mmCIF file of all heavy atoms in Angstrom:
data_model
loop_
_atom_site.group_PDB
_atom_site.id
_atom_site.type_symbol
_atom_site.label_atom_id
_atom_site.label_comp_id
_atom_site.label_asym_id
_atom_site.label_seq_id
_atom_site.Cartn_x
_atom_site.Cartn_y
_atom_site.Cartn_z
ATOM 1 N N MET Y 646 -219.383 210.610 -38.235
ATOM 2 C CA MET Y 646 -219.160 209.313 -38.907
ATOM 3 C C MET Y 646 -218.345 209.550 -40.179
ATOM 4 O O MET Y 646 -218.595 210.490 -40.922
ATOM 5 C CB MET Y 646 -220.512 208.657 -39.244
ATOM 6 C CG MET Y 646 -220.367 207.268 -39.842
ATOM 7 S SD MET Y 646 -221.968 206.525 -40.184
ATOM 8 C CE MET Y 646 -222.547 206.227 -38.519
ATOM 9 N N THR Y 647 -217.402 208.679 -40.404
ATOM 10 C CA THR Y 647 -216.529 208.842 -41.561
ATOM 11 C C THR Y 647 -217.129 208.177 -42.794
ATOM 12 O O THR Y 647 -217.619 207.060 -42.712
ATOM 13 C CB THR Y 647 -215.150 208.227 -41.277
ATOM 14 O OG1 THR Y 647 -214.664 208.734 -40.052
ATOM 15 C CG2 THR Y 647 -214.175 208.566 -42.383
ATOM 16 N N GLU Y 648 -217.085 208.869 -43.897
ATOM 17 C CA GLU Y 648 -217.545 208.276 -45.144
ATOM 18 C C GLU Y 648 -216.618 207.133 -45.526
ATOM 19 O O GLU Y 648 -215.404 207.224 -45.361
ATOM 20 C CB GLU Y 648 -217.528 209.324 -46.262
ATOM 21 C CG GLU Y 648 -218.605 210.378 -46.136
ATOM 22 C CD GLU Y 648 -219.980 209.802 -46.428
ATOM 23 O OE1 GLU Y 648 -220.085 208.944 -47.322
ATOM 24 O OE2 GLU Y 648 -220.934 210.189 -45.744
ATOM 25 N N PRO Y 649 -217.166 206.047 -46.014
ATOM 26 C CA PRO Y 649 -216.306 204.964 -46.510
ATOM 27 C C PRO Y 649 -215.494 205.464 -47.702
ATOM 28 O O PRO Y 649 -216.007 206.161 -48.571
ATOM 29 C CB PRO Y 649 -217.293 203.872 -46.924
ATOM 30 C CG PRO Y 649 -218.582 204.565 -47.123
ATOM 31 C CD PRO Y 649 -218.586 205.744 -46.184
ATOM 32 N N VAL Y 650 -214.241 205.110 -47.682
ATOM 33 C CA VAL Y 650 -213.350 205.545 -48.757
ATOM 34 C C VAL Y 650 -212.671 204.327 -49.346
ATOM 35 O O VAL Y 650 -212.209 203.459 -48.620
ATOM 36 C CB VAL Y 650 -212.287 206.535 -48.236
ATOM 37 C CG1 VAL Y 650 -211.276 206.853 -49.317
ATOM 38 C CG2 VAL Y 650 -212.949 207.799 -47.726
ATOM 39 N N VAL Y 651 -212.639 204.261 -50.652
ATOM 40 C CA VAL Y 651 -211.906 203.187 -51.315
ATOM 41 C C VAL Y 651 -210.619 203.775 -51.873
ATOM 42 O O VAL Y 651 -210.566 204.933 -52.279
ATOM 43 C CB VAL Y 651 -212.733 202.527 -52.440
ATOM 44 C CG1 VAL Y 651 -213.963 201.841 -51.853
ATOM 45 C CG2 VAL Y 651 -213.131 203.534 -53.478
ATOM 46 N N VAL Y 652 -209.581 202.985 -51.853
ATOM 47 C CA VAL Y 652 -208.272 203.428 -52.315
ATOM 48 C C VAL Y 652 -207.766 202.461 -53.365
ATOM 49 O O VAL Y 652 -207.808 201.242 -53.161
ATOM 50 C CB VAL Y 652 -207.261 203.499 -51.148
ATOM 51 C CG1 VAL Y 652 -205.916 204.024 -51.631
ATOM 52 C CG2 VAL Y 652 -207.805 204.364 -50.014
ATOM 53 N N CYS Y 653 -207.306 203.001 -54.474
ATOM 54 C CA CYS Y 653 -206.727 202.152 -55.508
ATOM 55 C C CYS Y 653 -205.486 201.461 -54.949
ATOM 56 O O CYS Y 653 -204.629 202.104 -54.343
ATOM 57 C CB CYS Y 653 -206.368 203.004 -56.731
ATOM 58 S SG CYS Y 653 -205.449 202.088 -57.978
ATOM 59 N N ALA Y 654 -205.420 200.151 -55.142
ATOM 60 C CA ALA Y 654 -204.309 199.382 -54.588
ATOM 61 C C ALA Y 654 -202.996 199.720 -55.278
ATOM 62 O O ALA Y 654 -201.926 199.398 -54.774
ATOM 63 C CB ALA Y 654 -204.592 197.891 -54.727
ATOM 64 N N ARG Y 655 -203.084 200.365 -56.409
ATOM 65 C CA ARG Y 655 -201.850 200.611 -57.156
ATOM 66 C C ARG Y 655 -201.394 202.061 -57.061
ATOM 67 O O ARG Y 655 -200.267 202.334 -56.724
ATOM 68 C CB ARG Y 655 -202.046 200.213 -58.617
ATOM 69 C CG ARG Y 655 -200.745 200.224 -59.376
ATOM 70 C CD ARG Y 655 -200.921 199.775 -60.788
ATOM 71 N NE ARG Y 655 -199.613 199.661 -61.440
ATOM 72 C CZ ARG Y 655 -199.437 199.676 -62.733
ATOM 73 N NH1 ARG Y 655 -200.461 199.796 -63.537
ATOM 74 N NH2 ARG Y 655 -198.237 199.563 -63.244
ATOM 75 N N CYS Y 656 -202.278 202.998 -57.368
ATOM 76 C CA CYS Y 656 -201.848 204.396 -57.418
ATOM 77 C C CYS Y 656 -202.356 205.201 -56.236
ATOM 78 O O CYS Y 656 -202.057 206.376 -56.114
ATOM 79 C CB CYS Y 656 -202.288 205.041 -58.733
ATOM 80 S SG CYS Y 656 -204.064 205.360 -58.835
ATOM 81 N N ARG Y 657 -203.109 204.562 -55.337
ATOM 82 C CA ARG Y 657 -203.592 205.209 -54.121
ATOM 83 C C ARG Y 657 -204.614 206.295 -54.393
ATOM 84 O O ARG Y 657 -204.861 207.139 -53.524
ATOM 85 C CB ARG Y 657 -202.431 205.784 -53.303
ATOM 86 C CG ARG Y 657 -201.423 204.731 -52.884
ATOM 87 C CD ARG Y 657 -202.061 203.668 -52.033
ATOM 88 N NE ARG Y 657 -201.112 202.568 -51.764
ATOM 89 C CZ ARG Y 657 -201.467 201.440 -51.140
ATOM 90 N NH1 ARG Y 657 -202.702 201.283 -50.747
ATOM 91 N NH2 ARG Y 657 -200.592 200.497 -50.932
ATOM 92 N N ALA Y 658 -205.185 206.298 -55.585
ATOM 93 C CA ALA Y 658 -206.271 207.232 -55.848
ATOM 94 C C ALA Y 658 -207.434 206.871 -54.931
ATOM 95 O O ALA Y 658 -207.667 205.703 -54.630
ATOM 96 C CB ALA Y 658 -206.694 207.141 -57.305
ATOM 97 N N MET Y 659 -208.138 207.881 -54.463
ATOM 98 C CA MET Y 659 -209.218 207.625 -53.522
ATOM 99 C C MET Y 659 -210.555 208.056 -54.102
ATOM 100 O O MET Y 659 -210.639 208.968 -54.915
ATOM 101 C CB MET Y 659 -208.965 208.371 -52.209
ATOM 102 C CG MET Y 659 -207.775 207.823 -51.445
ATOM 103 S SD MET Y 659 -207.663 208.489 -49.778
ATOM 104 C CE MET Y 659 -207.391 210.215 -50.112
ATOM 105 N N ALA Y 660 -211.606 207.367 -53.664
ATOM 106 C CA ALA Y 660 -212.957 207.740 -54.041
ATOM 107 C C ALA Y 660 -213.854 207.500 -52.842
ATOM 108 O O ALA Y 660 -213.536 206.701 -51.957
ATOM 109 C CB ALA Y 660 -213.426 206.931 -55.249
ATOM 110 N N ALA Y 661 -214.973 208.206 -52.809
ATOM 111 C CA ALA Y 661 -215.873 208.083 -51.661
ATOM 112 C C ALA Y 661 -216.479 206.689 -51.589
ATOM 113 O O ALA Y 661 -216.741 206.166 -50.521
ATOM 114 C CB ALA Y 661 -216.963 209.132 -51.752
ATOM 115 N N ARG Y 662 -216.707 206.110 -52.741
ATOM 116 C CA ARG Y 662 -217.175 204.728 -52.803
ATOM 117 C C ARG Y 662 -216.679 204.155 -54.117
ATOM 118 O O ARG Y 662 -216.212 204.886 -54.981
ATOM 119 C CB ARG Y 662 -218.696 204.661 -52.714
ATOM 120 C CG ARG Y 662 -219.415 205.316 -53.880
ATOM 121 C CD ARG Y 662 -220.909 205.121 -53.755
ATOM 122 N NE ARG Y 662 -221.455 205.852 -52.619
ATOM 123 C CZ ARG Y 662 -221.924 207.090 -52.694
ATOM 124 N NH1 ARG Y 662 -221.902 207.723 -53.844
ATOM 125 N NH2 ARG Y 662 -222.402 207.709 -51.655
ATOM 126 N N GLN Y 663 -216.787 202.853 -54.255
ATOM 127 C CA GLN Y 663 -216.211 202.227 -55.440
ATOM 128 C C GLN Y 663 -216.945 202.659 -56.703
ATOM 129 O O GLN Y 663 -218.122 202.334 -56.877
ATOM 130 C CB GLN Y 663 -216.261 200.715 -55.313
ATOM 131 C CG GLN Y 663 -215.603 200.027 -56.504
ATOM 132 C CD GLN Y 663 -215.690 198.514 -56.396
ATOM 133 O OE1 GLN Y 663 -216.129 197.983 -55.397
ATOM 134 N NE2 GLN Y 663 -215.266 197.839 -57.436
ATOM 135 N N PRO Y 664 -216.262 203.381 -57.598
ATOM 136 C CA PRO Y 664 -216.887 203.729 -58.877
ATOM 137 C C PRO Y 664 -217.115 202.478 -59.717
ATOM 138 O O PRO Y 664 -216.393 201.495 -59.580
ATOM 139 C CB PRO Y 664 -215.847 204.639 -59.543
ATOM 140 C CG PRO Y 664 -214.955 205.086 -58.433
ATOM 141 C CD PRO Y 664 -214.935 203.948 -57.447
ATOM 142 N N LEU Y 665 -218.091 202.535 -60.577
ATOM 143 C CA LEU Y 665 -218.420 201.373 -61.412
ATOM 144 C C LEU Y 665 -217.271 201.002 -62.339
ATOM 145 O O LEU Y 665 -217.152 199.862 -62.766
ATOM 146 C CB LEU Y 665 -219.676 201.659 -62.241
ATOM 147 C CG LEU Y 665 -220.973 201.790 -61.429
ATOM 148 C CD1 LEU Y 665 -222.125 202.157 -62.352
ATOM 149 C CD2 LEU Y 665 -221.277 200.511 -60.675
ATOM 150 N N THR Y 666 -216.432 201.987 -62.629
ATOM 151 C CA THR Y 666 -215.345 201.737 -63.574
ATOM 152 C C THR Y 666 -214.156 201.068 -62.894
ATOM 153 O O THR Y 666 -213.239 200.616 -63.556
ATOM 154 C CB THR Y 666 -214.881 203.043 -64.223
ATOM 155 O OG1 THR Y 666 -214.625 204.005 -63.198
ATOM 156 C CG2 THR Y 666 -215.939 203.584 -65.171
ATOM 157 N N TRP Y 667 -214.176 201.039 -61.565
ATOM 158 C CA TRP Y 667 -213.087 200.362 -60.868
ATOM 159 C C TRP Y 667 -213.314 198.867 -60.901
ATOM 160 O O TRP Y 667 -214.439 198.391 -61.035
ATOM 161 C CB TRP Y 667 -213.003 200.833 -59.420
ATOM 162 C CG TRP Y 667 -212.459 202.233 -59.252
ATOM 163 C CD1 TRP Y 667 -212.635 203.274 -60.115
ATOM 164 C CD2 TRP Y 667 -211.686 202.720 -58.164
ATOM 165 N NE1 TRP Y 667 -212.008 204.376 -59.613
ATOM 166 C CE2 TRP Y 667 -211.419 204.078 -58.420
ATOM 167 C CE3 TRP Y 667 -211.202 202.141 -56.987
ATOM 168 C CZ2 TRP Y 667 -210.673 204.854 -57.551
ATOM 169 C CZ3 TRP Y 667 -210.461 202.922 -56.126
ATOM 170 C CH2 TRP Y 667 -210.193 204.270 -56.402
ATOM 171 N N SER Y 668 -212.247 198.127 -60.767
ATOM 172 C CA SER Y 668 -212.384 196.682 -60.736
ATOM 173 C C SER Y 668 -211.802 196.139 -59.445
ATOM 174 O O SER Y 668 -211.081 196.836 -58.728
ATOM 175 C CB SER Y 668 -211.678 196.047 -61.938
ATOM 176 O OG SER Y 668 -210.301 196.332 -61.904
ATOM 177 N N THR Y 669 -212.140 194.897 -59.148
ATOM 178 C CA THR Y 669 -211.614 194.257 -57.952
ATOM 179 C C THR Y 669 -210.715 193.106 -58.351
ATOM 180 O O THR Y 669 -210.899 192.480 -59.388
ATOM 181 C CB THR Y 669 -212.753 193.720 -57.072
ATOM 182 O OG1 THR Y 669 -213.557 192.829 -57.839
ATOM 183 C CG2 THR Y 669 -213.622 194.862 -56.567
ATOM 184 N N MET Y 670 -209.734 192.853 -57.531
ATOM 185 C CA MET Y 670 -208.868 191.715 -57.760
ATOM 186 C C MET Y 670 -208.443 191.165 -56.405
ATOM 187 O O MET Y 670 -208.573 191.828 -55.391
ATOM 188 C CB MET Y 670 -207.657 192.124 -58.597
ATOM 189 C CG MET Y 670 -206.856 193.268 -58.002
ATOM 190 S SD MET Y 670 -205.518 193.787 -59.074
ATOM 191 C CE MET Y 670 -204.514 192.315 -59.115
ATOM 192 N N LEU Y 671 -207.979 189.944 -56.397
ATOM 193 C CA LEU Y 671 -207.565 189.316 -55.152
ATOM 194 C C LEU Y 671 -206.063 189.448 -54.974
ATOM 195 O O LEU Y 671 -205.296 189.242 -55.918
ATOM 196 C CB LEU Y 671 -207.952 187.838 -55.156
ATOM 197 C CG LEU Y 671 -209.453 187.546 -55.215
ATOM 198 C CD1 LEU Y 671 -209.671 186.040 -55.278
ATOM 199 C CD2 LEU Y 671 -210.169 188.143 -54.025
ATOM 200 N N ASP Y 672 -205.656 189.821 -53.762
ATOM 201 C CA ASP Y 672 -204.226 189.809 -53.499
ATOM 202 C C ASP Y 672 -203.793 188.402 -53.103
ATOM 203 O O ASP Y 672 -204.591 187.479 -53.049
ATOM 204 C CB ASP Y 672 -203.852 190.861 -52.445
ATOM 205 C CG ASP Y 672 -204.413 190.518 -51.070
ATOM 206 O OD1 ASP Y 672 -204.839 189.373 -50.861
ATOM 207 O OD2 ASP Y 672 -204.419 191.417 -50.217
ATOM 208 N N ARG Y 673 -202.521 188.248 -52.827
ATOM 209 C CA ARG Y 673 -201.992 186.896 -52.597
ATOM 210 C C ARG Y 673 -202.545 186.275 -51.319
ATOM 211 O O ARG Y 673 -202.462 185.066 -51.120
ATOM 212 C CB ARG Y 673 -200.462 186.936 -52.562
ATOM 213 C CG ARG Y 673 -199.898 187.702 -51.377
ATOM 214 C CD ARG Y 673 -198.407 187.847 -51.558
ATOM 215 N NE ARG Y 673 -198.087 188.648 -52.739
ATOM 216 C CZ ARG Y 673 -196.931 188.590 -53.380
ATOM 217 N NH1 ARG Y 673 -196.012 187.777 -52.982
ATOM 218 N NH2 ARG Y 673 -196.719 189.362 -54.421
ATOM 219 N N ASP Y 674 -203.095 187.078 -50.434
ATOM 220 C CA ASP Y 674 -203.674 186.554 -49.202
ATOM 221 C C ASP Y 674 -205.170 186.322 -49.332
ATOM 222 O O ASP Y 674 -205.839 185.980 -48.367
ATOM 223 C CB ASP Y 674 -203.415 187.530 -48.048
ATOM 224 C CG ASP Y 674 -201.927 187.681 -47.772
ATOM 225 O OD1 ASP Y 674 -201.207 186.672 -47.837
ATOM 226 O OD2 ASP Y 674 -201.496 188.811 -47.504
ATOM 227 N N GLY Y 675 -205.695 186.525 -50.532
ATOM 228 C CA GLY Y 675 -207.112 186.322 -50.745
ATOM 229 C C GLY Y 675 -207.942 187.539 -50.387
ATOM 230 O O GLY Y 675 -209.162 187.480 -50.406
ATOM 231 N N GLY Y 676 -207.268 188.626 -50.031
ATOM 232 C CA GLY Y 676 -207.987 189.854 -49.721
ATOM 233 C C GLY Y 676 -208.426 190.550 -50.990
ATOM 234 O O GLY Y 676 -207.877 190.321 -52.069
ATOM 235 N N LEU Y 677 -209.414 191.389 -50.854
ATOM 236 C CA LEU Y 677 -209.958 192.067 -52.021
ATOM 237 C C LEU Y 677 -209.270 193.411 -52.209
ATOM 238 O O LEU Y 677 -209.189 194.217 -51.285
ATOM 239 C CB LEU Y 677 -211.462 192.270 -51.820
ATOM 240 C CG LEU Y 677 -212.264 192.553 -53.088
ATOM 241 C CD1 LEU Y 677 -212.154 191.402 -54.070
ATOM 242 C CD2 LEU Y 677 -213.717 192.792 -52.707
ATOM 243 N N LEU Y 678 -208.760 193.629 -53.409
ATOM 244 C CA LEU Y 678 -208.127 194.889 -53.734
ATOM 245 C C LEU Y 678 -208.976 195.626 -54.745
ATOM 246 O O LEU Y 678 -209.599 195.016 -55.609
ATOM 247 C CB LEU Y 678 -206.729 194.658 -54.329
ATOM 248 C CG LEU Y 678 -205.697 194.000 -53.418
ATOM 249 C CD1 LEU Y 678 -204.408 193.763 -54.205
ATOM 250 C CD2 LEU Y 678 -205.417 194.852 -52.202
ATOM 251 N N LEU Y 679 -208.987 196.939 -54.626
ATOM 252 C CA LEU Y 679 -209.697 197.752 -55.603
ATOM 253 C C LEU Y 679 -208.678 198.447 -56.487
ATOM 254 O O LEU Y 679 -207.653 198.933 -56.013
ATOM 255 C CB LEU Y 679 -210.556 198.795 -54.882
ATOM 256 C CG LEU Y 679 -211.731 198.216 -54.080
ATOM 257 C CD1 LEU Y 679 -212.377 199.311 -53.260
ATOM 258 C CD2 LEU Y 679 -212.736 197.589 -55.015
ATOM 259 N N VAL Y 680 -208.968 198.474 -57.767
ATOM 260 C CA VAL Y 680 -208.056 199.091 -58.727
ATOM 261 C C VAL Y 680 -208.848 200.069 -59.568
ATOM 262 O O VAL Y 680 -209.913 199.721 -60.103
ATOM 263 C CB VAL Y 680 -207.394 198.023 -59.622
ATOM 264 C CG1 VAL Y 680 -206.403 198.657 -60.575
ATOM 265 C CG2 VAL Y 680 -206.704 196.966 -58.760
ATOM 266 N N CYS Y 681 -208.353 201.282 -59.676
ATOM 267 C CA CYS Y 681 -209.090 202.305 -60.404
ATOM 268 C C CYS Y 681 -209.096 202.008 -61.904
ATOM 269 O O CYS Y 681 -208.375 201.135 -62.386
ATOM 270 C CB CYS Y 681 -208.513 203.693 -60.116
ATOM 271 S SG CYS Y 681 -206.920 204.015 -60.873
ATOM 272 N N ASP Y 682 -209.908 202.754 -62.622
ATOM 273 C CA ASP Y 682 -210.097 202.440 -64.038
ATOM 274 C C ASP Y 682 -208.803 202.562 -64.835
ATOM 275 O O ASP Y 682 -208.502 201.716 -65.663
ATOM 276 C CB ASP Y 682 -211.202 203.314 -64.636
ATOM 277 C CG ASP Y 682 -210.970 204.788 -64.362
ATOM 278 O OD1 ASP Y 682 -210.063 205.118 -63.567
ATOM 279 O OD2 ASP Y 682 -211.692 205.608 -64.942
ATOM 280 N N SER Y 683 -208.020 203.602 -64.573
ATOM 281 C CA SER Y 683 -206.797 203.774 -65.343
ATOM 282 C C SER Y 683 -205.793 202.672 -65.019
ATOM 283 O O SER Y 683 -205.117 202.152 -65.904
ATOM 284 C CB SER Y 683 -206.187 205.148 -65.072
ATOM 285 O OG SER Y 683 -205.862 205.297 -63.710
ATOM 286 N N CYS Y 684 -205.720 202.283 -63.749
ATOM 287 C CA CYS Y 684 -204.810 201.200 -63.379
ATOM 288 C C CYS Y 684 -205.317 199.870 -63.908
ATOM 289 O O CYS Y 684 -204.523 198.983 -64.222
ATOM 290 C CB CYS Y 684 -204.651 201.133 -61.861
ATOM 291 S SG CYS Y 684 -203.708 202.501 -61.193
ATOM 292 N N THR Y 685 -206.633 199.724 -64.012
ATOM 293 C CA THR Y 685 -207.185 198.497 -64.577
ATOM 294 C C THR Y 685 -206.735 198.345 -66.021
ATOM 295 O O THR Y 685 -206.315 197.268 -66.443
ATOM 296 C CB THR Y 685 -208.718 198.522 -64.515
ATOM 297 O OG1 THR Y 685 -209.129 198.569 -63.150
ATOM 298 C CG2 THR Y 685 -209.308 197.277 -65.165
ATOM 299 N N ARG Y 686 -206.798 199.457 -66.754
ATOM 300 C CA ARG Y 686 -206.351 199.390 -68.145
ATOM 301 C C ARG Y 686 -204.872 199.066 -68.200
ATOM 302 O O ARG Y 686 -204.431 198.259 -69.023
ATOM 303 C CB ARG Y 686 -206.644 200.715 -68.846
ATOM 304 C CG ARG Y 686 -208.101 200.887 -69.204
ATOM 305 C CD ARG Y 686 -208.287 202.020 -70.196
ATOM 306 N NE ARG Y 686 -207.931 203.302 -69.612
ATOM 307 C CZ ARG Y 686 -208.794 204.093 -68.980
ATOM 308 N NH1 ARG Y 686 -210.043 203.711 -68.842
ATOM 309 N NH2 ARG Y 686 -208.416 205.240 -68.474
ATOM 310 N N ALA Y 687 -204.084 199.694 -67.336
ATOM 311 C CA ALA Y 687 -202.651 199.423 -67.307
ATOM 312 C C ALA Y 687 -202.402 197.971 -66.935
ATOM 313 O O ALA Y 687 -201.499 197.329 -67.462
ATOM 314 C CB ALA Y 687 -201.971 200.359 -66.315
ATOM 315 N N HIS Y 688 -203.215 197.467 -66.006
ATOM 316 C CA HIS Y 688 -203.039 196.085 -65.569
ATOM 317 C C HIS Y 688 -203.369 195.122 -66.704
ATOM 318 O O HIS Y 688 -202.681 194.122 -66.907
ATOM 319 C CB HIS Y 688 -203.937 195.813 -64.364
ATOM 320 C CG HIS Y 688 -203.826 194.402 -63.851
ATOM 321 N ND1 HIS Y 688 -202.614 193.834 -63.514
ATOM 322 C CD2 HIS Y 688 -204.758 193.456 -63.623
ATOM 323 C CE1 HIS Y 688 -202.821 192.592 -63.101
ATOM 324 N NE2 HIS Y 688 -204.114 192.328 -63.160
ATOM 325 N N LEU Y 689 -204.404 195.430 -67.467
ATOM 326 C CA LEU Y 689 -204.767 194.569 -68.576
ATOM 327 C C LEU Y 689 -203.641 194.537 -69.600
ATOM 328 O O LEU Y 689 -203.310 193.489 -70.138
ATOM 329 C CB LEU Y 689 -206.061 195.070 -69.222
ATOM 330 C CG LEU Y 689 -207.319 194.845 -68.393
ATOM 331 C CD1 LEU Y 689 -208.523 195.453 -69.093
ATOM 332 C CD2 LEU Y 689 -207.547 193.370 -68.133
ATOM 333 N N ARG Y 690 -203.039 195.693 -69.817
ATOM 334 C CA ARG Y 690 -201.894 195.727 -70.731
ATOM 335 C C ARG Y 690 -200.765 194.876 -70.184
ATOM 336 O O ARG Y 690 -200.105 194.137 -70.911
ATOM 337 C CB ARG Y 690 -201.421 197.164 -70.936
ATOM 338 C CG ARG Y 690 -202.229 197.927 -71.953
ATOM 339 C CD ARG Y 690 -201.335 198.804 -72.812
ATOM 340 N NE ARG Y 690 -200.416 199.602 -71.994
ATOM 341 C CZ ARG Y 690 -200.689 200.807 -71.554
ATOM 342 N NH1 ARG Y 690 -201.833 201.369 -71.850
ATOM 343 N NH2 ARG Y 690 -199.815 201.461 -70.829
ATOM 344 N N ALA Y 691 -200.538 194.977 -68.885
ATOM 345 C CA ALA Y 691 -199.458 194.209 -68.260
ATOM 346 C C ALA Y 691 -199.730 192.718 -68.381
ATOM 347 O O ALA Y 691 -198.819 191.926 -68.619
ATOM 348 C CB ALA Y 691 -199.315 194.613 -66.792
ATOM 349 N N MET Y 692 -200.998 192.335 -68.209
ATOM 350 C CA MET Y 692 -201.340 190.924 -68.335
ATOM 351 C C MET Y 692 -201.108 190.445 -69.750
ATOM 352 O O MET Y 692 -200.608 189.344 -69.986
ATOM 353 C CB MET Y 692 -202.808 190.703 -67.947
ATOM 354 C CG MET Y 692 -203.038 190.820 -66.450
ATOM 355 S SD MET Y 692 -204.780 190.712 -66.025
ATOM 356 C CE MET Y 692 -205.187 189.085 -66.621
ATOM 357 N N GLU Y 693 -201.455 191.293 -70.710
ATOM 358 C CA GLU Y 693 -201.248 190.906 -72.100
ATOM 359 C C GLU Y 693 -199.757 190.743 -72.383
ATOM 360 O O GLU Y 693 -199.351 189.935 -73.205
ATOM 361 C CB GLU Y 693 -201.858 191.961 -73.020
ATOM 362 C CG GLU Y 693 -203.379 191.923 -73.001
ATOM 363 C CD GLU Y 693 -203.965 193.092 -73.779
ATOM 364 O OE1 GLU Y 693 -203.190 193.953 -74.228
ATOM 365 O OE2 GLU Y 693 -205.193 193.127 -73.917
ATOM 366 N N ALA Y 694 -198.965 191.560 -71.701
ATOM 367 C CA ALA Y 694 -197.516 191.456 -71.870
ATOM 368 C C ALA Y 694 -196.945 190.329 -71.028
ATOM 369 O O ALA Y 694 -195.757 190.074 -71.049
ATOM 370 C CB ALA Y 694 -196.857 192.782 -71.481
ATOM 371 N N GLN Y 695 -197.813 189.683 -70.237
ATOM 372 C CA GLN Y 695 -197.422 188.557 -69.409
ATOM 373 C C GLN Y 695 -196.308 188.916 -68.455
ATOM 374 O O GLN Y 695 -195.351 188.162 -68.257
ATOM 375 C CB GLN Y 695 -197.014 187.365 -70.286
ATOM 376 C CG GLN Y 695 -198.177 186.853 -71.128
ATOM 377 C CD GLN Y 695 -197.823 185.579 -71.869
ATOM 378 O OE1 GLN Y 695 -196.684 185.355 -72.234
ATOM 379 N NE2 GLN Y 695 -198.819 184.730 -72.083
ATOM 380 N N LEU Y 696 -196.440 190.096 -67.841
ATOM 381 C CA LEU Y 696 -195.488 190.465 -66.812
ATOM 382 C C LEU Y 696 -195.742 189.603 -65.570
ATOM 383 O O LEU Y 696 -196.861 189.200 -65.310
ATOM 384 C CB LEU Y 696 -195.646 191.943 -66.445
ATOM 385 C CG LEU Y 696 -195.181 192.924 -67.519
ATOM 386 C CD1 LEU Y 696 -195.448 194.340 -67.060
ATOM 387 C CD2 LEU Y 696 -193.704 192.735 -67.810
ATOM 388 N N ASP Y 697 -194.697 189.363 -64.850
ATOM 389 C CA ASP Y 697 -194.838 188.535 -63.642
ATOM 390 C C ASP Y 697 -195.730 189.234 -62.630
ATOM 391 O O ASP Y 697 -195.749 190.460 -62.533
ATOM 392 C CB ASP Y 697 -193.445 188.316 -63.040
ATOM 393 C CG ASP Y 697 -193.486 187.240 -61.974
ATOM 394 O OD1 ASP Y 697 -193.885 187.548 -60.841
ATOM 395 O OD2 ASP Y 697 -193.142 186.088 -62.280
ATOM 396 N N GLU Y 698 -196.457 188.456 -61.859
ATOM 397 C CA GLU Y 698 -197.366 189.027 -60.878
ATOM 398 C C GLU Y 698 -196.601 189.835 -59.822
ATOM 399 O O GLU Y 698 -197.139 190.721 -59.189
ATOM 400 C CB GLU Y 698 -198.154 187.899 -60.207
ATOM 401 C CG GLU Y 698 -199.369 188.403 -59.445
ATOM 402 C CD GLU Y 698 -200.177 187.232 -58.892
ATOM 403 O OE1 GLU Y 698 -199.628 186.126 -58.828
ATOM 404 O OE2 GLU Y 698 -201.333 187.454 -58.535
ATOM 405 N N GLU Y 699 -195.340 189.525 -59.642
ATOM 406 C CA GLU Y 699 -194.534 190.259 -58.671
ATOM 407 C C GLU Y 699 -194.389 191.720 -59.063
ATOM 408 O O GLU Y 699 -194.045 192.566 -58.256
ATOM 409 C CB GLU Y 699 -193.135 189.622 -58.553
ATOM 410 C CG GLU Y 699 -193.147 188.267 -57.895
ATOM 411 C CD GLU Y 699 -193.541 188.361 -56.420
ATOM 412 O OE1 GLU Y 699 -193.238 189.394 -55.812
ATOM 413 O OE2 GLU Y 699 -194.149 187.418 -55.913
ATOM 414 N N PHE Y 700 -194.641 191.988 -60.336
ATOM 415 C CA PHE Y 700 -194.611 193.373 -60.809
ATOM 416 C C PHE Y 700 -195.533 194.239 -59.983
ATOM 417 O O PHE Y 700 -195.331 195.408 -59.816
ATOM 418 C CB PHE Y 700 -195.012 193.398 -62.288
ATOM 419 C CG PHE Y 700 -195.092 194.774 -62.868
ATOM 420 C CD1 PHE Y 700 -193.942 195.500 -63.166
ATOM 421 C CD2 PHE Y 700 -196.311 195.354 -63.116
ATOM 422 C CE1 PHE Y 700 -194.024 196.758 -63.699
ATOM 423 C CE2 PHE Y 700 -196.406 196.620 -63.661
ATOM 424 C CZ PHE Y 700 -195.249 197.320 -63.949
ATOM 425 N N TRP Y 701 -196.621 193.638 -59.460
ATOM 426 C CA TRP Y 701 -197.563 194.366 -58.637
ATOM 427 C C TRP Y 701 -197.042 194.474 -57.212
ATOM 428 O O TRP Y 701 -197.655 195.015 -56.373
ATOM 429 C CB TRP Y 701 -198.912 193.661 -58.660
ATOM 430 C CG TRP Y 701 -199.583 193.887 -59.970
ATOM 431 C CD1 TRP Y 701 -199.354 193.236 -61.136
ATOM 432 C CD2 TRP Y 701 -200.608 194.859 -60.258
ATOM 433 N NE1 TRP Y 701 -200.167 193.754 -62.110
ATOM 434 C CE2 TRP Y 701 -200.935 194.723 -61.603
ATOM 435 C CE3 TRP Y 701 -201.265 195.818 -59.446
ATOM 436 C CZ2 TRP Y 701 -201.903 195.529 -62.197
ATOM 437 C CZ3 TRP Y 701 -202.220 196.610 -60.044
ATOM 438 C CH2 TRP Y 701 -202.541 196.472 -61.397
HETATM 439 ZN ZN1 ZN T 320 -205.114 203.483 -59.700
#
């Protein structure tokens, strides 16, 4: 049986399961994306800079 693996939607970092420091966000199709802690911080900075969502 394969261990469940989560993958960061941005940098493709992988973890055996979702770490508490990772966050979730919705993609344009309403699907759930996981974002690792470092990308979450980068994303928050991007949001503060009001970059277009297409940046993702
Ligand atoms: Zn990441």
Side-chain angles (χ1 to χ4, degrees):
M646 184 179 290
T647 309
E648 288 289 323
V650 173
V651 296
V652 183
C653 172
R655 190 177 186 201
C656 72
R657 301 300 173 187
M659 292 191 296
R662 64 176 67 91
Q663 183 182 354
L665 292 176
T666 51
W667 287 33
S668 62
T669 56
M670 56 184 297
L671 297 177
D672 67 15
R673 66 188 64 203
D674 297 321
L677 199 61
L678 296 176
L679 293 172
V680 183
C681 72
D682 52 351
S683 61
C684 289
T685 297
R686 284 195 295 269
H688 180 54
L689 288 177
R690 278 220 311 269
M692 287 175 61
E693 288 173 355
Q695 297 187 329
L696 289 177
D697 192 280
E698 195 175 17
E699 291 293 329
F700 177 74
W701 286 81

